[in-house]
Amino acid sequence: MERIDAELFTDGGNDAVVRLPGRRLPGVLIQGDSLHILRGDVAEVVEACERGDLAEAGEAAGLLLAGFDALLSRYSVALEKHRIRLPY
């Protein structure tokens, strides 16, 4: 393990926006338990597709999209607040 100093652009939380040394842009730090939940949510979409249940797959995918939209919004607000140009 290596200890480093990182820049924190938001509160800690489960989806902190941080910049690691040597990186031009910040990223989003997702805690392991939250990553596991995301993986399970994606698996739910895949399983619904495999069963041919497109309504359930669409609903689950919509929830995933809303979650990613919230992460992207948090990221965008943090960068704009610190006057960092968005990479997209």
Side-chain angles (χ1 to χ4, degrees):
M1 176 174 64
E2 178 183 355
R3 291 193 179 266
I4 59 169
D5 288 322
E7 296 174 279
L8 182 63
F9 291 83
T10 61
D11 61 353
N14 285 335
D15 51 4
V17 177
V18 298
R19 180 165 47 196
L20 297 175
R23 300 298 302 203
R24 186 174 69 83
L25 294 169
V28 177
L29 173 66
I30 299 174
Q31 295 296 316
D33 58 335
S34 297
L35 181 60
H36 181 62
I37 290 168
L38 279 173
R39 190 258 174 230
D41 293 344
V42 171
E44 185 179 327
V45 173
V46 170
E47 291 163 7
C49 287
E50 288 172 347
R51 288 192 309 276
D53 190 344
L54 297 183
E56 183 181 333
E59 185 177 325
L63 292 172
L64 269 169
L65 181 59
F68 279 113
D69 284 345
L71 283 173
L72 188 58
S73 176
R74 181 169 163 85
Y75 179 80
S76 298
V77 167
L79 267 63
E80 289 169 4
K81 180 179 175 183
H82 292 90
R83 296 191 171 126
I84 298 173
R85 189 175 201 182
L86 295 172
Y88 45 86

